[in-house]
Amino acid sequence: MQLEKGRILNFELIMLMIGFIFGTSFIISPAKSGGQNGWLAVIIGIFEALLIAFVFVSLSNKFKDKTIVQINDLVYGRILGKFVSLIFLWYLFHLALLVLNLFIDFFSTEIYINTPPTVLLIFLLAVCASTVGRGIEVLARCSVILVPLTIFIGIIDAALAIPNMDINNILPILDIPMGKFLWAAHSAAAFPFAQTVAFTMVFSSLNNNKGRYSNVAMAIIISGFYLSFLQLRNALVLGPMISNYIFPSYMAIQTINIADVLSRLEVIVTIFFLFLGFIKVSVILYGIVLGSAQMLSLRSYHLLIIPIVILMIIMARSNVRNFVEALDFVEKGWPIYALPWEAGIPLITLIVAILRKLPRTEGEKI
């Protein structure tokens, strides 16, 4: 049964995926442990992410009209397949909690200081739930508008920050141990690029299945080099102290002051932070509710939106104690923790599908 009737174009997929990758990267910088060399570590992380994406896109290409939940049923059988799907949906749910914590802590400490974090959480999830209820087409069209605007604003901010830049802030290049540099690159690959495995719940809604990997690769490369560009901007402005800032992008923008006229631009950029968070949480929520409905053989995923949102509200604030703990987990724990879901499960499923010669031709019994 096809629960999602909406269809999206390849260009909309690219924009949606770029917005998803940007989601938390404007708040916490990828490869933050790389310091002023983080911009270079992000570029290296792109290549690892492309390898991971090749695996889950290859799996999706074998079952073009199926989500990862439906694929698991076909590859592993109904019982084991549902267990594997449950594990994957847990990954999405945990990722949603982590992203929500990062956003809510940022806004409650920097912008809405006197507003209870739970209120911010409810408002953000309410908008996401409303959009998810309208289907993947609406979410994709939102990204087509919001993502180009965000990229444009980032370029303008970088241009305005040129007077505050110093080339000596990034010299000497690669002055950190190679092991630490490679870990920073892997961290960038795992958070955020490889999180695009969540789109295995979206690929089945593509209007045109041709060139699926090239579209995914384009999204990862564009977002990767753009994030590297922003990292370089931050390093040129903040220098070696960049690792000491919790929100380096926000701090770099705060330094902009053109003749006392163009200042406090971080307020404008914060709005786009919120837009990107909305895109990322909405994609994850969509994957969770659609996958859960498919597991339970429901006729619609809309019935699950409110219960899952309520569960997110209850668990989000108890997931981590504070932002510092969440940031520490992103830098040290997530690159290892996420590997089974981002690379392991898709690779094993692909291998089993190949060994079982799935999908089989029409008329054969599976």
Side-chain angles (χ1 to χ4, degrees):
M1 182 185 299
Q2 191 72 23
L3 298 182
E4 176 57 74
K5 301 292 193 297
R7 288 291 178 266
I8 62 175
L9 303 175
N10 287 336
F11 176 72
E12 292 175 330
L13 172 70
I14 294 172
M15 289 295 103
L16 187 59
M17 190 170 285
I18 291 175
F20 178 89
I21 293 173
F22 284 172
T24 47
S25 302
F26 277 72
I27 293 180
I28 57 169
S29 299
K32 189 174 184 294
S33 59
Q36 65 263 44
N37 294 288
W39 64 276
L40 190 56
V42 171
I43 295 177
I44 302 301
I46 293 173
F47 295 98
E48 180 184 345
L50 290 174
L51 290 175
I52 295 174
F54 180 78
V55 174
F56 66 72
V57 174
S58 296
L59 174 63
S60 180
N61 278 338
K62 289 182 70 66
F63 307 86
K64 293 186 184 294
D65 60 340
K66 307 293 184 184
T67 68
I68 187 67
V69 171
Q70 295 170 318
I71 293 172
N72 288 335
D73 279 355
L74 292 173
V75 173
Y76 297 109
R78 300 196 57 155
I79 297 177
L80 182 58
K82 282 182 169 46
F83 176 73
V84 175
S85 296
L86 184 62
I87 294 175
F88 182 78
L89 292 179
W90 162 251
Y91 162 79
L92 293 182
F93 189 80
H94 191 188
L95 176 60
L97 298 183
L98 182 59
V99 171
L100 286 169
N101 271 296
L102 293 173
F103 264 91
I104 297 309
D105 285 340
F106 168 77
F107 279 97
S108 62
T109 57
E110 297 292 336
I111 311 297
Y112 303 110
I113 300 176
N114 296 321
T115 304
T118 303
V119 174
L120 298 175
L121 181 65
I122 291 173
F123 273 104
L124 176 58
L125 279 173
V127 176
C128 294
S130 176
T131 306
V132 169
R134 287 168 170 76
I136 192 64
E137 284 187 9
V138 173
L139 181 56
R141 288 168 186 168
C142 288
S143 68
V144 170
I145 298 172
L146 298 177
V147 170
L149 282 174
T150 302
I151 293 175
F152 176 75
I153 291 295
I155 294 173
I156 295 299
D157 286 336
L160 294 175
I162 288 177
N164 302 323
M165 296 181 183
D166 184 353
I167 190 64
N168 293 315
N169 283 338
I170 62 171
L171 299 176
I173 295 176
L174 288 179
D175 61 336
I176 62 174
M178 185 54 63
K180 185 176 181 180
F181 175 78
L182 292 176
W183 175 260
H186 172 62
S187 297
F191 197 108
F193 301 123
Q195 292 171 353
T196 50
V197 70
F199 280 80
T200 52
M201 294 300 305
V202 177
F203 289 143
S204 61
S205 295
L206 277 173
N207 194 40
N208 185 353
N209 286 309
K210 294 181 179 179
R212 186 175 293 185
Y213 179 70
S214 62
N215 293 325
V216 173
M218 186 180 299
I220 292 175
I221 291 171
I222 291 174
S223 58
F225 277 96
Y226 184 73
L227 290 175
S228 177
F229 162 73
L230 294 184
Q231 283 277 71
L232 181 59
R233 177 203 65 188
N234 297 344
L236 288 169
V237 172
L238 302 177
M241 296 297 292
I242 187 173
S243 298
N244 296 331
Y245 292 107
I246 297 179
F247 310 114
S249 291
Y250 187 75
M251 296 303 300
I253 296 169
Q254 273 190 329
T255 65
I256 297 174
N257 189 341
I258 308 297
D260 292 327
V261 176
L262 287 176
S263 61
R264 299 293 297 174
L265 297 180
E266 68 274 9
V267 176
I268 299 175
V269 176
T270 298
I271 297 174
F272 288 91
F273 285 173
L274 186 59
F275 289 160
L276 296 171
F278 150 73
I279 291 175
K280 185 155 192 169
V281 174
S282 295
V283 170
I284 300 171
L285 178 60
Y286 173 81
I288 294 171
V289 296
L290 178 60
S292 299
Q294 290 174 337
M295 280 186 60
L296 298 172
S297 300
L298 300 180
R299 293 182 177 273
S300 172
Y301 63 82
H302 295 83
L303 298 174
L304 297 177
I305 295 177
I306 294 179
I308 289 178
V309 164
I310 293 174
L311 189 61
M312 284 182 175
I313 293 172
I314 294 172
M315 295 189 63
R317 299 311 298 168
S318 61
N319 186 42
V320 290
R321 287 189 292 270
N322 52 60
F323 185 86
V324 175
E325 183 180 291
L327 187 60
D328 185 67
F329 176 67
V330 168
E331 292 181 0
K332 299 177 181 177
W334 187 268
I336 297 175
Y337 169 82
L339 272 179
W341 289 279
E342 295 175 351
I345 289 178
L347 179 59
I348 293 172
T349 306
L350 179 61
I351 292 173
V352 174
I354 293 173
L355 292 176
R356 293 191 61 193
K357 299 180 180 179
L358 297 174
R360 298 179 186 175
T361 57
E362 187 174 353
E364 287 188 73
K365 185 178 179 180
I366 296 179

